[in-house]
Amino acid sequence: SSDLSCYGLQCSNQLVGVACFAKGGSTEALKAVHPDASKVILLARGACAPHAPKNSASFLIRWACKQAHTDFGWTHFVGYSDEQAGETGQIYRACNWKCLGKSTQGVKTAFISPTGERISSYNFNRKSEPKFYALGWDGTEKKYAFLRRLGWTEHREAVKTRWLWEESGNRQ
């Protein structure tokens, strides 16, 4: 199985929507949805152009899940809606996804630079350290303290609502 897959929606030979799936979070988080984490995938990004036909987003998500199930065997699809970004879960509801409620990820903090650059709480790991070194971090100072010293401000990230789709391949 792949760790990343993207699908697009074309209308009149023009790309009007995309749905991208990726392995996200820890294996434990995936196993909370299904005991076999290899069957779980995250709908990491989805977007439709403003001029896309009505209901394109729900059509694309439904079709992409069905196709990803065929292509990779994923059976459990997890998506998030972010109220701070104006996302109410309307599209997930239109696709009959099950609302699992607010995620239990705990309090997350993002930092915003004086010029508007953003570093998410998800970047406070070893894999993202080159980002901090590029800002002048020497590896000894705590990252939060370093960003505060540079004038970055903390912003609490929204607790997102988690949604689930189970794909058996038998549905229309």
Side-chain angles (χ1 to χ4, degrees), residues 4-152:
L4 175 67
S5 183
C6 298
Y7 298 90
L9 177 64
Q10 281 190 323
C11 183
S12 302
N13 292 323
Q14 185 178 32
L15 182 66
V16 295
V18 295
C20 299
F21 300 102
K23 288 291 178 181
S26 66
T27 303
E28 292 77 26
L30 300 177
K31 285 183 176 180
V33 174
H34 188 279
D36 181 354
S38 71
K39 298 287 187 185
V40 183
I41 195 73
L42 175 69
L43 175 57
R45 293 287 181 268
C48 284
H51 60 275
K54 185 178 180 179
N55 302 322
S56 290
S58 56
F59 174 84
L60 171 60
I61 288 172
R62 183 66 202 100
W63 175 86
C65 289
K66 197 170 193 165
Q67 190 61 46
H69 171 72
T70 299
D71 293 347
F72 302 102
W74 297 320
T75 58
H76 290 67
F77 296 80
V78 177
Y80 291 89
S81 56
D82 180 351
E83 291 174 18
Q84 270 187 344
E87 300 168 352
T88 62
Q90 178 179 348
I91 294 167
Y92 293 123
R93 281 192 291 279
C95 295
N96 291 319
W97 285 44
K98 180 181 179 184
C99 181
L100 300 178
K102 300 287 184 185
S103 62
T104 56
Q105 65 189 11
V107 176
K108 301 287 184 182
T109 302
F111 278 82
I112 310 294
S113 77
T115 61
E117 185 180 349
R118 183 177 188 276
I119 294 182
S120 167
S121 60
Y122 296 102
N123 296 125
F124 285 84
N125 56 51
R126 289 192 186 276
K127 189 170 73 175
S128 297
E129 284 185 352
K131 224 178 231 194
F132 290 90
Y133 284 116
L135 293 171
W137 182 60
D138 64 7
T140 59
E141 188 175 8
K142 300 267 187 206
K143 292 175 185 168
Y144 277 41
F146 169 71
L147 292 175
R148 286 183 196 118
R149 186 170 52 78
L150 294 181
W152 291 58

